[in-house]
Amino acid sequence: TSEFFIKLTLLLAVWVFILSTVDKISRFIAAIFWNHSIPLHAARIPSKLPHPNPPGGAIPFDLILSNASDEQIQAFMAFRGKSGRYRKEDEGALQQVADSAAEYKGLLYQERVMNWIDDHFRLHLPNLKYPYVGRHWNGWKSVWVETGPHIRKMFLASMTVIFEHCINGLFLPALYLLTHNVTYYNLALYGEIAYMIYASTLIALSYALGKDVSIEQQHRSVWPILLMHHIASMVLCIACIMIGESVPRDLVCEVLLVLVGLTSSLHYVGVIMDFSPMAQSNAPYTRLYNHVFCLASQIVFRCIYWVKILYTTISYCLETHGMGTTIAVTSALLLFSLFNIDFIKYHVKATQGCWLKIQKEKIAKGC
């Protein structure tokens, strides 16, 4: 109907503006708070060039910068494509070396992450080693200096997605359940549809342009999965609006809460943690507890509770809206089910990997 398209167009414009604003604010925060130079005493450089970068955890650089010779420093900067003379007595030049070493460290991690994503999602290779980031040298103050350019984009994208999920998947559905004001319900559904249209369009443009302009900034091998998720979500939300007054709104809002507001947001929080000083190498048990909580929520809501959602939704469609609507909704639910299966498998492997890495480190320390 015309009313549907008017509301959707309005919400689409609003969400394009909001997402752009959130991205700008996130970039500002990163530039101001996370982009300080690496302290000289914390920096290291590798003695072997290029530095070994096998799959899995990072191999730390072996030379403390203050202990490296002028020749080693000069060789490293030449490898990094930096001209000029770099001497230990020149503190300004040494600061450039420290920051360049942090940048190189970030690029090595980015390479491992991109390779792992491609091997896992496109090639479906077994027994892959998860790419753990190396210990950060200066915590949050310099995390941006130690982060590769594409990982930065994924980091900022995760902040943007979490914001959207918290509004459309947490705040608005919760307000409806508390007040039963239909305005909150409509804002959540129209907002989610608008977001999915925008996200799907940008992925399609990424394919057409051969350049990643998507919201998520994920590896190309993940785009089909994201598209499947977005289209299925879009169909379900549109169906809820088209069905009208008879739709069980409380159930719809509960689904938004557990699938978007909780489990999906937790996944993106984990992405940020993996790139940050809260990663496994810096805070192993913090990361493990987050993995366990996230995995438990995925199993409870995307597996156990999902069965109830499937049964309730399909039964409702059969009883009230006939076979055509039932087939359309069931198809979207099945697509979403495939996404849920892959999502849960990912978190099972990630949690196992985190726990095993902690055990290996305990054995290595003789604990």
Side-chain angles (χ1 to χ4, degrees), residues 308-338:
K308 177 191 173 184
I309 292 171
L310 288 174
Y311 176 77
T312 304
T313 306
I314 294 171
S315 298
Y316 170 80
C317 288
L318 282 171
E319 291 172 5
T320 59
H321 295 282
M323 189 57 67
T325 300
T326 302
I327 291 173
V329 172
T330 302
S331 298
L333 289 171
L334 289 176
L335 276 177
F336 218 107
S337 299
L338 292 174

mmCIF file of all heavy atoms in Angstrom, residues 308-338:
data_model
loop_
_atom_site.group_PDB
_atom_site.id
_atom_site.type_symbol
_atom_site.label_atom_id
_atom_site.label_comp_id
_atom_site.label_asym_id
_atom_site.label_seq_id
_atom_site.Cartn_x
_atom_site.Cartn_y
_atom_site.Cartn_z
ATOM 1 N N LYS A 308 10.414 -23.189 18.942
ATOM 2 C CA LYS A 308 9.105 -22.684 19.355
ATOM 3 C C LYS A 308 8.610 -21.612 18.380
ATOM 4 O O LYS A 308 7.427 -21.576 18.009
ATOM 5 C CB LYS A 308 9.192 -22.100 20.767
ATOM 6 C CG LYS A 308 7.876 -21.477 21.233
ATOM 7 C CD LYS A 308 8.048 -20.680 22.509
ATOM 8 C CE LYS A 308 6.758 -19.947 22.847
ATOM 9 N NZ LYS A 308 6.899 -19.073 24.036
ATOM 10 N N ILE A 309 9.522 -20.734 17.963
ATOM 11 C CA ILE A 309 9.146 -19.681 17.022
ATOM 12 C C ILE A 309 8.661 -20.284 15.705
ATOM 13 O O ILE A 309 7.640 -19.865 15.149
ATOM 14 C CB ILE A 309 10.346 -18.734 16.773
ATOM 15 C CG1 ILE A 309 10.660 -17.937 18.038
ATOM 16 C CG2 ILE A 309 10.069 -17.796 15.598
ATOM 17 C CD1 ILE A 309 11.938 -17.137 17.961
ATOM 18 N N LEU A 310 9.397 -21.280 15.206
ATOM 19 C CA LEU A 310 8.996 -21.939 13.963
ATOM 20 C C LEU A 310 7.600 -22.537 14.083
ATOM 21 O O LEU A 310 6.735 -22.324 13.218
ATOM 22 C CB LEU A 310 10.008 -23.035 13.607
ATOM 23 C CG LEU A 310 11.387 -22.600 13.111
ATOM 24 C CD1 LEU A 310 12.293 -23.815 12.959
ATOM 25 C CD2 LEU A 310 11.272 -21.880 11.783
ATOM 26 N N TYR A 311 7.385 -23.294 15.142
ATOM 27 C CA TYR A 311 6.098 -23.978 15.328
ATOM 28 C C TYR A 311 4.957 -22.966 15.481
ATOM 29 O O TYR A 311 3.912 -23.080 14.825
ATOM 30 C CB TYR A 311 6.153 -24.884 16.553
ATOM 31 C CG TYR A 311 4.832 -25.545 16.868
ATOM 32 C CD1 TYR A 311 4.387 -26.642 16.131
ATOM 33 C CD2 TYR A 311 4.018 -25.060 17.895
ATOM 34 C CE1 TYR A 311 3.161 -27.244 16.410
ATOM 35 C CE2 TYR A 311 2.798 -25.649 18.187
ATOM 36 C CZ TYR A 311 2.382 -26.739 17.441
ATOM 37 O OH TYR A 311 1.166 -27.317 17.717
ATOM 38 N N THR A 312 5.170 -21.963 16.336
ATOM 39 C CA THR A 312 4.113 -20.980 16.602
ATOM 40 C C THR A 312 3.773 -20.181 15.355
ATOM 41 O O THR A 312 2.591 -19.970 15.037
ATOM 42 C CB THR A 312 4.566 -20.023 17.728
ATOM 43 O OG1 THR A 312 4.919 -20.775 18.887
ATOM 44 C CG2 THR A 312 3.461 -19.039 18.074
ATOM 45 N N THR A 313 4.801 -19.753 14.633
ATOM 46 C CA THR A 313 4.580 -18.905 13.454
ATOM 47 C C THR A 313 3.900 -19.673 12.323
ATOM 48 O O THR A 313 2.935 -19.185 11.722
ATOM 49 C CB THR A 313 5.925 -18.326 12.958
ATOM 50 O OG1 THR A 313 6.581 -17.660 14.028
ATOM 51 C CG2 THR A 313 5.704 -17.363 11.813
ATOM 52 N N ILE A 314 4.405 -20.863 12.029
ATOM 53 C CA ILE A 314 3.826 -21.652 10.934
ATOM 54 C C ILE A 314 2.387 -22.066 11.260
ATOM 55 O O ILE A 314 1.497 -22.002 10.405
ATOM 56 C CB ILE A 314 4.707 -22.881 10.641
ATOM 57 C CG1 ILE A 314 6.073 -22.432 10.093
ATOM 58 C CG2 ILE A 314 4.022 -23.809 9.636
ATOM 59 C CD1 ILE A 314 7.089 -23.546 9.966
ATOM 60 N N SER A 315 2.156 -22.466 12.515
ATOM 61 C CA SER A 315 0.796 -22.846 12.922
ATOM 62 C C SER A 315 -0.152 -21.659 12.793
ATOM 63 O O SER A 315 -1.289 -21.797 12.303
ATOM 64 C CB SER A 315 0.798 -23.347 14.365
ATOM 65 O OG SER A 315 1.594 -24.498 14.495
ATOM 66 N N TYR A 316 0.314 -20.491 13.229
ATOM 67 C CA TYR A 316 -0.513 -19.281 13.149
ATOM 68 C C TYR A 316 -0.856 -18.947 11.700
ATOM 69 O O TYR A 316 -2.020 -18.637 11.379
ATOM 70 C CB TYR A 316 0.227 -18.118 13.807
ATOM 71 C CG TYR A 316 -0.425 -16.777 13.567
ATOM 72 C CD1 TYR A 316 -1.535 -16.376 14.309
ATOM 73 C CD2 TYR A 316 0.044 -15.922 12.574
ATOM 74 C CE1 TYR A 316 -2.153 -15.162 14.078
ATOM 75 C CE2 TYR A 316 -0.564 -14.706 12.335
ATOM 76 C CZ TYR A 316 -1.662 -14.326 13.098
ATOM 77 O OH TYR A 316 -2.273 -13.125 12.862
ATOM 78 N N CYS A 317 0.145 -19.024 10.804
ATOM 79 C CA CYS A 317 -0.097 -18.708 9.387
ATOM 80 C C CYS A 317 -1.075 -19.688 8.748
ATOM 81 O O CYS A 317 -1.962 -19.295 7.979
ATOM 82 C CB CYS A 317 1.226 -18.710 8.611
ATOM 83 S SG CYS A 317 2.293 -17.314 8.985
ATOM 84 N N LEU A 318 -0.933 -20.971 9.086
ATOM 85 C CA LEU A 318 -1.842 -21.980 8.529
ATOM 86 C C LEU A 318 -3.270 -21.752 8.986
ATOM 87 O O LEU A 318 -4.226 -21.914 8.214
ATOM 88 C CB LEU A 318 -1.374 -23.379 8.932
ATOM 89 C CG LEU A 318 -0.198 -23.963 8.152
ATOM 90 C CD1 LEU A 318 0.289 -25.239 8.807
ATOM 91 C CD2 LEU A 318 -0.599 -24.237 6.699
ATOM 92 N N GLU A 319 -3.432 -21.379 10.244
ATOM 93 C CA GLU A 319 -4.771 -21.222 10.816
ATOM 94 C C GLU A 319 -5.479 -19.960 10.328
ATOM 95 O O GLU A 319 -6.694 -19.941 10.183
ATOM 96 C CB GLU A 319 -4.692 -21.192 12.343
ATOM 97 C CG GLU A 319 -4.302 -22.537 12.953
ATOM 98 C CD GLU A 319 -4.039 -22.420 14.445
ATOM 99 O OE1 GLU A 319 -4.254 -21.315 14.996
ATOM 100 O OE2 GLU A 319 -3.613 -23.423 15.062
ATOM 101 N N THR A 320 -4.692 -18.901 10.062
ATOM 102 C CA THR A 320 -5.338 -17.604 9.817
ATOM 103 C C THR A 320 -5.122 -17.014 8.428
ATOM 104 O O THR A 320 -5.880 -16.143 8.006
ATOM 105 C CB THR A 320 -4.844 -16.569 10.855
ATOM 106 O OG1 THR A 320 -3.418 -16.450 10.757
ATOM 107 C CG2 THR A 320 -5.227 -16.990 12.259
ATOM 108 N N HIS A 321 -4.095 -17.469 7.677
ATOM 109 C CA HIS A 321 -3.765 -16.767 6.436
ATOM 110 C C HIS A 321 -3.564 -17.673 5.228
ATOM 111 O O HIS A 321 -3.146 -17.206 4.172
ATOM 112 C CB HIS A 321 -2.523 -15.906 6.640
ATOM 113 C CG HIS A 321 -2.743 -14.798 7.612
ATOM 114 N ND1 HIS A 321 -3.416 -13.640 7.297
ATOM 115 C CD2 HIS A 321 -2.415 -14.688 8.927
ATOM 116 C CE1 HIS A 321 -3.475 -12.851 8.348
ATOM 117 N NE2 HIS A 321 -2.874 -13.462 9.359
ATOM 118 N N GLY A 322 -3.787 -18.939 5.352
ATOM 119 C CA GLY A 322 -3.760 -19.801 4.188
ATOM 120 C C GLY A 322 -2.375 -20.242 3.749
ATOM 121 O O GLY A 322 -1.353 -19.859 4.324
ATOM 122 N N MET A 323 -2.370 -21.037 2.683
ATOM 123 C CA MET A 323 -1.141 -21.696 2.260
ATOM 124 C C MET A 323 -0.121 -20.739 1.639
ATOM 125 O O MET A 323 1.078 -20.895 1.826
ATOM 126 C CB MET A 323 -1.484 -22.809 1.254
ATOM 127 C CG MET A 323 -0.303 -23.704 0.902
ATOM 128 S SD MET A 323 0.458 -24.483 2.353
ATOM 129 C CE MET A 323 -0.885 -25.579 2.856
ATOM 130 N N GLY A 324 -0.579 -19.737 0.890
ATOM 131 C CA GLY A 324 0.353 -18.824 0.220
ATOM 132 C C GLY A 324 1.229 -18.076 1.194
ATOM 133 O O GLY A 324 2.467 -18.056 1.063
ATOM 134 N N THR A 325 0.599 -17.466 2.191
ATOM 135 C CA THR A 325 1.362 -16.738 3.214
ATOM 136 C C THR A 325 2.253 -17.684 4.002
ATOM 137 O O THR A 325 3.400 -17.362 4.331
ATOM 138 C CB THR A 325 0.396 -16.015 4.178
ATOM 139 O OG1 THR A 325 -0.406 -15.100 3.431
ATOM 140 C CG2 THR A 325 1.160 -15.256 5.249
ATOM 141 N N THR A 326 1.733 -18.870 4.293
ATOM 142 C CA THR A 326 2.505 -19.855 5.061
ATOM 143 C C THR A 326 3.785 -20.261 4.329
ATOM 144 O O THR A 326 4.859 -20.344 4.929
ATOM 145 C CB THR A 326 1.656 -21.107 5.336
ATOM 146 O OG1 THR A 326 0.483 -20.739 6.043
ATOM 147 C CG2 THR A 326 2.444 -22.119 6.157
ATOM 148 N N ILE A 327 3.675 -20.490 3.026
ATOM 149 C CA ILE A 327 4.846 -20.892 2.236
ATOM 150 C C ILE A 327 5.894 -19.776 2.219
ATOM 151 O O ILE A 327 7.091 -20.020 2.401
ATOM 152 C CB ILE A 327 4.433 -21.267 0.794
ATOM 153 C CG1 ILE A 327 3.620 -22.567 0.811
ATOM 154 C CG2 ILE A 327 5.661 -21.415 -0.099
ATOM 155 C CD1 ILE A 327 3.022 -22.922 -0.535
ATOM 156 N N ALA A 328 5.439 -18.530 2.009
ATOM 157 C CA ALA A 328 6.366 -17.395 1.967
ATOM 158 C C ALA A 328 7.083 -17.221 3.304
ATOM 159 O O ALA A 328 8.318 -17.070 3.366
ATOM 160 C CB ALA A 328 5.624 -16.118 1.594
ATOM 161 N N VAL A 329 6.324 -17.254 4.391
ATOM 162 C CA VAL A 329 6.910 -17.068 5.722
ATOM 163 C C VAL A 329 7.823 -18.246 6.081
ATOM 164 O O VAL A 329 8.915 -18.065 6.622
ATOM 165 C CB VAL A 329 5.800 -16.885 6.778
ATOM 166 C CG1 VAL A 329 6.397 -16.900 8.189
ATOM 167 C CG2 VAL A 329 5.052 -15.578 6.538
ATOM 168 N N THR A 330 7.378 -19.461 5.768
ATOM 169 C CA THR A 330 8.186 -20.644 6.072
ATOM 170 C C THR A 330 9.506 -20.630 5.312
ATOM 171 O O THR A 330 10.557 -21.003 5.857
ATOM 172 C CB THR A 330 7.408 -21.932 5.731
ATOM 173 O OG1 THR A 330 6.182 -21.965 6.465
ATOM 174 C CG2 THR A 330 8.229 -23.169 6.069
ATOM 175 N N SER A 331 9.485 -20.175 4.068
ATOM 176 C CA SER A 331 10.718 -20.082 3.278
ATOM 177 C C SER A 331 11.708 -19.132 3.945
ATOM 178 O O SER A 331 12.906 -19.429 4.052
ATOM 179 C CB SER A 331 10.402 -19.599 1.858
ATOM 180 O OG SER A 331 9.559 -20.502 1.194
ATOM 181 N N ALA A 332 11.208 -17.990 4.412
ATOM 182 C CA ALA A 332 12.076 -17.031 5.104
ATOM 183 C C ALA A 332 12.607 -17.619 6.411
ATOM 184 O O ALA A 332 13.783 -17.446 6.756
ATOM 185 C CB ALA A 332 11.315 -15.740 5.375
ATOM 186 N N LEU A 333 11.738 -18.334 7.128
ATOM 187 C CA LEU A 333 12.169 -18.958 8.388
ATOM 188 C C LEU A 333 13.235 -20.021 8.142
ATOM 189 O O LEU A 333 14.176 -20.162 8.937
ATOM 190 C CB LEU A 333 10.965 -19.574 9.096
ATOM 191 C CG LEU A 333 9.955 -18.603 9.703
ATOM 192 C CD1 LEU A 333 8.718 -19.348 10.174
ATOM 193 C CD2 LEU A 333 10.577 -17.816 10.859
ATOM 194 N N LEU A 334 13.113 -20.770 7.061
ATOM 195 C CA LEU A 334 14.114 -21.795 6.747
ATOM 196 C C LEU A 334 15.458 -21.164 6.393
ATOM 197 O O LEU A 334 16.517 -21.660 6.796
ATOM 198 C CB LEU A 334 13.615 -22.681 5.605
ATOM 199 C CG LEU A 334 12.468 -23.637 5.949
ATOM 200 C CD1 LEU A 334 12.004 -24.392 4.706
ATOM 201 C CD2 LEU A 334 12.893 -24.619 7.043
ATOM 202 N N LEU A 335 15.427 -20.071 5.624
ATOM 203 C CA LEU A 335 16.653 -19.343 5.329
ATOM 204 C C LEU A 335 17.311 -18.861 6.611
ATOM 205 O O LEU A 335 18.526 -18.979 6.803
ATOM 206 C CB LEU A 335 16.353 -18.143 4.417
ATOM 207 C CG LEU A 335 16.281 -18.384 2.917
ATOM 208 C CD1 LEU A 335 15.894 -17.100 2.196
ATOM 209 C CD2 LEU A 335 17.609 -18.912 2.386
ATOM 210 N N PHE A 336 16.485 -18.323 7.500
ATOM 211 C CA PHE A 336 16.991 -17.833 8.775
ATOM 212 C C PHE A 336 17.533 -18.985 9.620
ATOM 213 O O PHE A 336 18.524 -18.841 10.345
ATOM 214 C CB PHE A 336 15.888 -17.099 9.537
ATOM 215 C CG PHE A 336 16.374 -15.888 10.272
ATOM 216 C CD1 PHE A 336 16.068 -14.620 9.823
ATOM 217 C CD2 PHE A 336 17.144 -16.020 11.407
ATOM 218 C CE1 PHE A 336 16.522 -13.502 10.488
ATOM 219 C CE2 PHE A 336 17.600 -14.906 12.096
ATOM 220 C CZ PHE A 336 17.285 -13.641 11.641
ATOM 221 N N SER A 337 16.895 -20.139 9.516
ATOM 222 C CA SER A 337 17.360 -21.315 10.263
ATOM 223 C C SER A 337 18.760 -21.728 9.813
ATOM 224 O O SER A 337 19.614 -22.084 10.638
ATOM 225 C CB SER A 337 16.388 -22.484 10.078
ATOM 226 O OG SER A 337 15.104 -22.165 10.563
ATOM 227 N N LEU A 338 19.001 -21.689 8.501
ATOM 228 C CA LEU A 338 20.331 -22.013 7.979
ATOM 229 C C LEU A 338 21.373 -21.031 8.511
ATOM 230 O O LEU A 338 22.489 -21.421 8.871
ATOM 231 C CB LEU A 338 20.312 -21.985 6.445
ATOM 232 C CG LEU A 338 19.486 -23.080 5.764
ATOM 233 C CD1 LEU A 338 19.428 -22.835 4.256
ATOM 234 C CD2 LEU A 338 20.065 -24.461 6.053
#
